[in-house]
């Protein structure tokens, strides 16, 4: 064998050795760095089948009521059971060998399935170390209140969010239409292809034009930048001409005449708030939505990002529309509940959360949520002024139908135009007025007037919550 052949053999051997090193390095990278992602992936059927031999942890409401649990089936494996069925389905989701997981079942799969142990990266050996049961979740929601809210929303499509303004704890999270998680295997084809999207958790995944409920933010911005004060008079003649060729109309061709800021909010005057948006300008409008958290999401809850217009490129007509919650603006009911919470809690928004504790199978606390300040959206002074105006909205303005219940409420209505039919009906607010504890957002899809439809729903629910 001559030197040339020996050199070629050596090059080939070194190349093969190098490739093997790269292969092992890549396998180690997947096994160690990306282990948790692939191991807990919702479509990993190996772990789903292995999980049938482990009792998945329970999901409980704040009083210990069982919302999800594992029971033994006829084959000796575990299957999931949801005692409240559709009432909590969009929030809790489902766990299926065939169709994976969704909702909290997916987000907290590692805890519920018992995968959070030090040996979980040892591949098949890790199965020997798996505990017999997973950790349980103790949520902040109240099953009884959730049941009442679900019933009050009746057969309408929409969503309801109620949160504690002092802590951010979510008390109610209703989304309709819903589905039967106990029948997910049998009814998957029907559920997954339904045109009314029952698998969508509308509280955090539904994107809607907010309409006039954003006027409380515009009022705050106008006071903050001295674009107005509480005494300034605006003249509403039923329409606002916006150069060069756009006209913003009042809803129902109303003419409000002379109004101050408080009265303009009470009657939801488009002319006043469209005009204020133009006076504030693109930069101030952009920073207003930024201050109220429209560029942020609550990842633990699976919230989708809001769609905020590119204010720097908006024409005057779209800028005026953004002042009344239209244009290309889309957001979630959770986001609008936090906007109401800002005015209820002196400008401070606490970070919304829904998992209060993670408990081991022995009942030990593995994780305990701590309330966190999330945003400081406005000043105490401005929050107090706008909150007082929201009280007027419910006492003698468009939100009056919310005032028929045994609790004092402040809020704002909205009737958001959209390309899918009649306007979406909105109400956001808080209660009780003297010492606000809870904020609420209600949306009813294509239901028309927020005052006529969403406000009484909010009033009824808050009367139960504030007992």
């Amino acid at each position: 064998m001559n030197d040339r052949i020996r050199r070629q053999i050596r090059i080939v051997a070194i190349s093969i050795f190098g490739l093997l090193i790269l292969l092992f390095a890549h396998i180690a990278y997947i096994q160690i760095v990306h282990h948790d992602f692939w191991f807990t992936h919702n479509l990993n059927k190996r772990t789903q089948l292995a999980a049938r031999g482990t009792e998945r942890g329970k999901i409980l409401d704040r009083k210990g009521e069982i919302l999800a649990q594992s029971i033994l089936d006829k084959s000796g494996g575990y299957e999931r059971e949801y005692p409240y069925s559709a009432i909590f389905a969009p929030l809790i989701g489902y766990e299926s060998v065939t169709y994976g997981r969704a909702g909290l079942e997916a987000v907290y799969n590692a805890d519920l399935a018992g995968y959070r142990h030090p040996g979980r990266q040892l591949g098949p050996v890790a199965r020997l170390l798996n505990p017999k049961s997973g950790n349980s979740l103790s949520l902040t929601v109240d099953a009884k209140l959730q049941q009442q809210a679900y019933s009050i929303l009746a057969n309408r499509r929409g969503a309801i969010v109620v949160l504690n303004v002092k802590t951010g704890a979510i008390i109610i999270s209703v989304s309709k239409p819903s589905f039967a998680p106990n029948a997910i295997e049998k009814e998957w084809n029907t559920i997954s292809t339904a045109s009314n999207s029952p698998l969508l958790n509308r509280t955090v995944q539904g994107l809607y034009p907010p309409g006039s409920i954003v006027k409380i933010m515009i009022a705050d911005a106008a006071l903050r930048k001295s674009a107005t004060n509480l005494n300034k008079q605006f003249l509403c003649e039923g329409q606002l001409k916006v150069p060069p060729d756009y006209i913003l109309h009042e809803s129902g061709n109303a003419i409000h005449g002379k109004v101050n800021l408080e009265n303009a909010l009470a009657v939801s005057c488009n002319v006043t708030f469209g005009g204020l948006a133009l006076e504030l300008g693109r930069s101030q409008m952009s920073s207003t939505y930024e201050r109220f958290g429209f560029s942020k999401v609550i990842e633990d809850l699976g919230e989708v990002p809001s769609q905020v217009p590119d204010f720097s490129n908006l024409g005057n007509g779209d800028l005026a529309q953004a002042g009344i919650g239209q244009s290309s603006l889309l957001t979630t009911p959770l986001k609008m509940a936090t906007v109401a919470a800002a005015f209820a809690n002196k400008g401070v928004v606490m970070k919304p959360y829904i998992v209060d504790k993670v408990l081991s199978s022995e009942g030990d606390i593995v994780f305990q949520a701590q309330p966190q300040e999330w945003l400081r959206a406005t000043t105490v002074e401005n929050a107090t002024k706008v909150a007082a105006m929201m009280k007027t909205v419910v006492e003698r303005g468009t939100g009056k139908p919310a005032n028929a219940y045994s609790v004092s409420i402040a809020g704002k209505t909205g009737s958001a135009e959209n390309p899918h039919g009649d306007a979406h009906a909105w109400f956001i607010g808080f209660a009780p007025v003297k010492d606000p504890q809870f904020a609420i957002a209600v949306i009813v899809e294509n239901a028309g007037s927020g005052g006529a439809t969403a406000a009484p729903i909010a009033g009824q629910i808050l009367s139960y919550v504030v007992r």
Side-chain angles (χ1 to χ4, degrees), residues 58 68 163 342 354:
K58 295 182 176 69
L163 54 83
I354 207 157

Side-chain angles (χ1 to χ4, degrees), residues 315-328:
N316 287 338
D318 280 332
L319 184 60
Q321 285 275 347
I324 62 170
Q326 296 287 168
S327 185
S328 56

Side-chain angles (χ1 to χ4, degrees), residues 427-439:
F427 182 90
I428 62 172
F430 59 84
V433 171
K434 282 189 178 179
D435 182 20
Q437 299 294 318
F438 301 100

Side-chain angles (χ1 to χ4, degrees), residues 26-213:
H26 188 62
I27 291 173
Y29 178 74
I30 292 173
Q31 186 68 27
I32 296 172
V33 177
H34 284 288
H35 174 274
D36 285 354
F37 173 79
W38 293 113
F39 190 71
T40 60
H41 195 283
N42 294 328
L43 298 179
N44 186 340
K45 292 197 173 182
R46 291 176 63 190
T47 53
Q48 288 170 15
L49 288 169
R52 280 179 53 79
T54 302
E55 184 180 4
R56 198 171 171 83
K58 295 182 176 69
I59 300 179
L60 311 165
D61 87 334
R62 65 178 181 173
K63 295 177 181 173
E65 192 76 15
I66 295 174
L67 309 179
Q69 63 182 342
S70 290
I71 58 172
L72 283 170
D73 61 18
K74 294 177 181 177
S75 67
Y78 286 99
E79 64 179 14
R80 215 56 171 153
E81 181 185 68
Y82 301 92
Y84 283 82
S85 190
I87 295 173
F88 278 99
L91 170 65
I92 291 177
Y94 55 82
E95 203 273 337
S96 160
V97 172
T98 309
Y99 302 110
R101 308 174 192 90
L104 294 178
E105 291 277 24
V107 176
Y108 289 89
N109 180 51
D111 285 297
L112 292 165
Y115 294 153
R116 292 204 189 280
H117 57 81
R120 66 185 184 281
Q121 294 173 328
L122 299 178
V125 177
R127 294 179 194 172
L128 302 174
L129 304 175
N130 281 348
K132 292 183 178 179
S133 57
N135 294 333
S136 293
L137 306 181
S138 175
L139 307 185
T140 58
V141 291
D142 185 302
K144 184 178 178 182
L145 294 174
Q146 176 94 358
Q147 203 164 15
Q148 288 171 322
Y150 188 87
S151 175
I152 292 168
L153 193 55
N155 60 354
R156 306 176 183 97
R157 292 194 316 271
I160 300 168
V161 179
V162 177
L163 54 83
N164 185 316
V165 301
K166 306 291 187 186
T167 65
I170 294 174
I171 311 300
I172 293 172
S173 175
V174 166
S175 175
K176 275 192 167 184
S178 186
F179 62 95
N182 294 314
I184 196 75
E185 301 278 354
K186 293 179 181 176
E187 299 178 5
W188 175 257
N189 288 338
T190 302
I191 293 171
S192 62
T193 59
S195 60
N196 57 8
S197 307
L199 292 174
L200 183 73
N201 182 357
R202 285 165 160 77
T203 62
V204 291
Q205 297 171 325
L207 284 174
Y208 302 94
S212 295
I213 52 177

Side-chain angles (χ1 to χ4, degrees), residues 257-279:
K258 286 186 178 180
V259 288
N260 61 18
L261 190 63
E262 182 179 25
N263 290 333
L265 196 70
V267 298
S268 200
C269 181
N270 286 345
V271 168
T272 298
F273 287 94
L276 284 173
L278 292 171
E279 192 167 342

